[in-house]
Each structure stands twice: as structure tokens, then as C-alpha cells.
Amino acid sequence: MENELKRNYLLNLLRITPQLVSNNLMHNKAKFNFRSVFFDLKESIDLFLKKDSDNRFYILPGLRGVGKTTIIFQLYDYLINNQNIDLNRILYLDLDRLKDQGLFNLLDYLDIFIKDINEEAYLNNEPLFIFIDESQYSSNWDHVGKIIFDEYKNVFIIFTGSDALNLQSSMDSARRSLKKEIYPLNFAEYLNLKYDCKISNRISDSIFDTIFNNDIESLRKNEKDIQLNVYNKFKRDISKIWEEYIQYGGFPSSFNRNNNSIIQLTLDMKNRIIEKDLDTLSSFTSQTRRNTYSLINILALQRPGELSLHKLAKNMDISKKSIDNLLTALESTQIIFHIEPYGSIAKRNRKPWKYYFLASQMKAAIYQSSAQASRNSGEYMGILSENLVASLLFMMKNKRKQDFGIFYDEEKKTADFLINTIIGEIIPIEVAYGKKNKRQIKNSMNKYNCEYGIVVSNKTQSIVKDDDVIFLPLKTFSML
């Protein structure tokens, strides 16, 4: 009887999913554009269908709202309309909804889908597709994925989830799965998804080469092409569109809303992370949740700087260990990340860390809802710009799987960030909103004997090299 209920649940899902997908893939009768990760996964699916690859177990970790479900729906749509896969052979299972049925065994549902509902495909080794959304609501999702991968060679399976630490560090899935982290949008992705402006990934590659190889020629060429063929198509000032992006454009779920609605949506997202996602890490008490709300607001409203656990613990009247646990939990959801001081491992563990929001949109929403943004708009945009540059560097390191460190210098009047390359070279990066000078970058270059330094500024309209300092426009850098 219990299996019959599960079977009926799955049959109902298979029936309603096509309409669910259709309702969430377009706006004003136009389908959403694709992110690059869609094409990566599509290629893997095509190879799987040709039986040319065994890459059939993927994990998509990422912060809430970054578009993981949309990518899954686009793959579903592709399978039906381009690969002519039967509807009953594609299972989209949202564990956030399934958990409302009570305690569940994920493997039971997948076994029923594979061996019962699709018995013929199972016996004939024909392809099946399983997309598991909100995987963090299953305590053993990784073990289930391992079993499906090992026992069913005809199944292509994807897990998504917002508990990034859990999805990235699982031992059960580590040797079998491939990970595709989904991050907030960079400026190029924003222009593509919202305004249908196609910008080649070459711009990101050329920014990377500029940072690490002191090579500006490729970036100069790509930047000029974008200025002529993308920026000139807008009737509005592109700087205004960039300001729209840094405050409201990090999440695809924010599109087609007014600014007030975006702020509320972002705050609701933050609340959902605290109320739901953190509970998948440990059982949070009401007091702990209140402390988490306070901590996030403190992080959002302070100027970027070292975070003293001692001062925080004193101000919030809780232990340093509790603060540390909350910060670790928040980092696992990817709402925040940290940058350590440059120096030895002992120093980095001893000295305070700096914390930034993965999406500047989250910081902006909290700032605006607290009526802080209007006090000094220049300072507000400068704080958001530093957060954005930190986030882009952090995402670049993780997406490209590059072996370099991102640090800050404890000394005052030095660059905001220090890139430490694998061969031990230091590349200082300064974020200068509202100004364009070389004082702080020069201080860092002299201190670490750097060959060159980089200033990211809104006062620079195109990439310029002044002796050993590269000036990069914020708009350009935002495409990293």
C-alpha cells in the first residue's frame, strides 16, 4: 500500500511537470535565454544519449535564486522538444515539496520510477533522466546518487541544492559526480539574460589574462567590441544599467519586477535561508535564528573590514564559538564568504577575517530596507562595488578551479585585495569608486615588490595602462 501511494505521487508529478516547466520558462511569450552551464550539461546529455560518455551524475550547488531550477527546466524542455524523450522518462522531483508528505526514503521513489513506472526502459537499458531539486532536504542524497550511478547505467541524474558545503564535500559522491557550481550573475550574463545582448565568454577570459598575465591587448579589443556593438544599442546610459545590475541584477529570479519588489523578494530569500536552509545543517532554536538575523544585518550594514568575533560576541551577548558557528553555517549556504589576511597560516587563523556577500544584491537589499543607502549614495555604491569585486574574484577562483589565494592587507592605505599566485607573486587590486588615483595601489606594489597593480574604478571608461598600473572600468571588470 505504501509503495502504491509513492507510485501515485510520482505519476501525478509526471502528469503536471510539463505544464509546470512551460509556465516557468518564458515571460511575455519569449523563452528565457540560457546560461553557459546549460550548454555544458546539454553537451553531456547528448554524449550520454549517444553512449559516448559515462558522465551522468551531476551536482549543481548554489545560493537560492541563482537559477538552478530554471536550468533544470530548460534541460527538461530540451529533452522533450529536441531529443524527443518520452515525458514519463523524465522525473523532476522537488524535495522541498516531497518533505511535506512526511519522512521519505528518496531511494524508494527513484526505484519505483526506474523499475516500476519505466520497467520497459529499465529492462532494455534505455535512457532515463532524474532531476532532484532542493537535495539538501534528503539526509542521504549523496548515498542515493552513488547507488543510482552504480546500479543503473541508463540513468542520467542531476542534484541541485542550496547547502553548498554539503553538496560539494560529500564523500559518497566525490569520485562519481561532476560539480557545476551556479553563482549569481556577472554583468555579461545579466545583459544576456535580461536584455538579450549576446556577449562572448572571451571577455571573461581576457579579464583573467589581464589580471594574471599583465596582458591588456585582448581585453582592449573585446571591450571595444562590446562598447560598439552592445552598449551603443541601449537608449539609456550604460552606467545606469550597471548601477541597476549591482543593486538588483544578481539573481535571474529578480527579472521583470520593479525595484521595491526585488528588494522584498531578496529579503524573503534571505529569510528563507535562515528559516529553512540552516535547519538542514543543524537544529536551530528561535534564539539562534534571531541571532542569525542580527548577524546578517551587521555584516550587510558595516563597511567592509575585519570582523572581530570578540566585539561581535560582546555586542550580541553570545559566545564567540556561537558567532563562529553561525558564520560557518551562513558560508555553507553561500550567502556570505570570507577573505583572510595575507601572511602565514598561523596569522590567518589568528587575525580577523573579512566577510562579503556572494551577491551584492543581497547587501543592497538590506542596506535599502534599513534606509542606509540614501544617506551617502557615493559611499553606498563604493561599498557595493568592493563587495562585487570580492565576489567576482571568489567566483572566478572556484569556477576556473585556479590555484591562487585572495587576501587582504592588514595595513591601512593599501590595496583592497591581494592575489597570491601559485608561484608566489602578489597582484594588488584596488577598488576606487568615485576616484581614480594610484596612491594605495602604489603602496602595495612597493611593499610587495609587484610588477604591476590593478585599479578597478567607475571613473575609467575604457581599459588604460599608466606605467605599471592597469585601470579597469567597473563595468568591464564586472564581466569576469
Side-chain angles (χ1 to χ4, degrees):
M1 182 64 180
E2 185 180 348
N3 278 350
E4 188 63 25
L5 291 174
K6 293 174 183 175
R7 187 176 190 274
N8 288 337
Y9 182 86
L10 292 174
L11 288 173
N12 185 55
L13 269 186
L14 294 172
R15 179 180 60 81
I16 66 174
T17 299
Q19 191 60 51
L20 173 69
V21 170
S22 177
N23 291 343
N24 286 278
L25 279 189
M26 60 179 61
H27 179 74
N28 290 337
K29 298 182 179 180
K31 280 191 173 182
F32 299 143
N33 284 338
F34 302 106
R35 297 185 70 173
S36 59
V37 69
F38 165 83
F39 296 104
D40 294 340
L41 292 167
K42 170 189 167 297
E43 182 180 4
S44 293
I45 285 174
D46 291 344
L47 291 172
F48 167 73
L49 289 171
K50 294 176 182 177
K51 299 185 179 180
D52 285 343
S53 171
D54 201 37
N55 292 337
R56 50 188 172 82
F57 180 6
Y58 282 86
I59 300 170
L60 309 185
L63 183 63
R64 282 189 179 274
V66 293
K68 301 183 297 292
T69 302
T70 299
I71 292 168
I72 292 297
F73 286 169
Q74 288 173 327
L75 291 171
Y76 182 101
D77 183 70
Y78 171 74
L79 286 169
I80 290 172
N81 294 311
N82 296 84
Q83 290 290 357
N84 299 314
I85 302 296
D86 187 276
L87 292 171
N88 292 325
R89 295 189 181 185
I90 313 169
L91 175 65
Y92 169 72
L93 188 58
D94 182 351
L95 299 193
D96 192 9
R97 293 188 178 185
L98 182 59
K99 70 179 176 56
D100 292 337
Q101 305 293 312
L103 291 175
F104 64 89
N105 184 326
L106 178 59
L107 188 57
D108 287 348
Y109 283 88
L110 301 191
D111 276 339
I112 291 171
F113 170 74
I114 295 168
K115 293 196 288 188
D116 182 350
I117 294 174
N118 285 287
E119 181 182 12
E120 183 179 348
Y122 165 65
L123 293 175
N124 294 325
N125 199 35
E126 295 172 352
L128 297 172
F129 295 87
I130 297 174
F131 302 137
I132 308 294
D133 217 350
E134 304 291 1
S135 303
Q136 68 272 13
Y137 292 114
S138 169
S139 60
N140 67 337
W141 68 268
D142 51 345
H143 184 64
V144 170
K146 169 185 173 294
I147 291 173
I148 297 297
F149 180 86
D150 289 344
E151 295 187 5
Y152 304 111
K153 307 300 182 185
N154 64 318
V155 176
F156 188 103
I157 189 166
I158 298 178
F159 290 89
T160 84
S162 51
D163 177 1
L165 185 63
N166 183 355
L167 266 69
Q168 291 180 26
S169 62
S170 160
M171 294 304 293
D172 264 338
S173 65
R175 290 184 294 107
R176 296 165 175 82
S177 63
L178 295 167
K179 297 179 182 63
K180 296 281 186 183
E181 293 91 349
I182 313 299
Y183 290 112
L185 305 176
N186 66 21
F187 190 40
E189 291 175 311
Y190 177 74
L191 293 175
N192 175 28
L193 296 186
K194 184 164 185 179
Y195 294 104
D196 198 26
C197 295
K198 299 293 188 293
I199 297 176
S200 169
N201 287 335
R202 289 195 302 271
I203 184 70
S204 178
D205 295 335
S206 58
I207 297 169
F208 183 86
D209 285 340
T210 296
I211 295 172
F212 285 91
N213 300 319
N214 193 16
D215 175 13
I216 70 170
E217 293 311 312
S218 175
L219 179 56
R220 182 177 279 158
K221 181 179 178 182
N222 287 322
E223 182 186 63
K224 184 177 181 180
D225 180 67
I226 290 171
Q227 289 171 342
L228 292 174
N229 298 310
V230 176
Y231 293 171
N232 282 348
K233 291 182 179 180
F234 288 100
K235 295 180 180 179
R236 294 169 58 201
D237 181 356
I238 190 65
S239 295
K240 296 297 182 184
I241 295 174
W242 179 84
E243 289 177 5
E244 169 188 273
Y245 155 72
I246 194 174
Q247 296 178 88
Y248 310 110
F251 300 116
S253 54
S254 300
F255 294 173
N256 309 310
R257 296 170 179 264
N258 62 41
N259 292 348
N260 288 334
S261 175
I262 292 173
I263 292 170
Q264 190 55 55
L265 175 72
T266 310
L267 296 177
D268 289 345
M269 197 184 305
K270 175 202 69 174
N271 297 343
R272 190 173 173 85
I273 290 169
I274 295 172
E275 297 294 336
K276 301 192 72 173
D277 291 351
L278 291 181
D279 263 346
T280 66
L281 303 174
S282 61
S283 182
F284 273 33
T285 65
S286 298
Q287 183 59 50
T288 304
R289 284 195 181 88
R290 286 193 291 272
N291 290 335
T292 308
Y293 279 108
S294 299
L295 179 58
I296 289 178
N297 283 340
I298 290 170
L299 292 175
L301 296 176
Q302 72 167 11
R303 291 185 59 85
E306 310 95 279
L307 191 66
S308 168
L309 298 188
H310 177 74
K311 288 182 181 178
L312 263 180
K314 185 177 180 181
N315 291 339
M316 295 176 64
D317 195 26
I318 59 177
S319 69
K320 284 173 59 178
K321 183 172 179 57
S322 295
I323 293 286
D324 191 48
N325 289 340
L326 285 179
L327 289 169
T328 300
L330 289 171
E331 284 202 71
S332 77
T333 67
Q334 288 197 343
I335 191 172
I336 61 171
F337 64 95
H338 75 269
I339 291 179
E340 299 173 15
Y342 179 71
S344 66
I345 293 177
K347 178 180 180 180
R348 281 151 46 191
N349 289 332
R350 186 177 69 251
K351 296 293 184 178
W353 293 352
K354 287 187 176 184
Y355 286 86
Y356 294 92
F357 284 78
L358 191 66
S360 59
Q361 177 177 325
M362 184 72 72
K363 189 177 183 79
I366 298 172
Y367 234 89
Q368 293 191 46
S369 67
S370 303
Q372 300 292 316
S374 58
R375 292 186 177 182
N376 185 332
S377 59
E379 181 183 42
Y380 161 68
M381 290 301 293
I383 289 171
L384 287 187
S385 297
E386 182 178 334
N387 190 102
L388 177 66
V389 170
S391 175
L392 290 165
L393 290 171
F394 175 81
M395 291 189 289
M396 173 186 69
K397 175 179 171 64
N398 287 284
K399 285 190 287 189
R400 292 176 177 266
K401 305 293 189 264
Q402 295 292 322
D403 193 5
F404 64 86
I406 309 169
F407 302 98
Y408 76 90
D409 194 331
E410 285 187 287
E411 285 190 25
K412 305 300 180 186
K413 298 182 180 179
T414 53
D416 292 308
F417 306 106
L418 300 173
I419 301 296
N420 188 198
T421 71
I422 192 171
I423 60 174
E425 293 180 342
I426 297 295
I427 305 166
I429 299 178
E430 170 69 7
V431 185
Y433 189 90
K435 58 184 184 293
K436 179 188 171 184
N437 63 65
K438 299 191 289 187
R439 181 167 55 89
Q440 289 182 227
I441 201 74
K442 279 291 190 181
N443 289 341
S444 292
M445 290 171 64
N446 292 331
K447 179 178 178 180
Y448 296 104
N449 193 28
C450 305
E451 180 184 344
Y452 60 97
I454 297 170
V455 176
V456 184
S457 171
N458 70 318
K459 292 300 182 182
T460 303
Q461 298 307 311
S462 299
I463 185 171
V464 207
K465 192 168 184 181
D466 185 356
D467 292 330
D468 50 5
V469 177
I470 300 169
F471 288 91
L472 268 174
L474 264 165
K475 291 189 295 292
T476 301
F477 191 90
S478 299
M479 296 187 181
L480 180 62

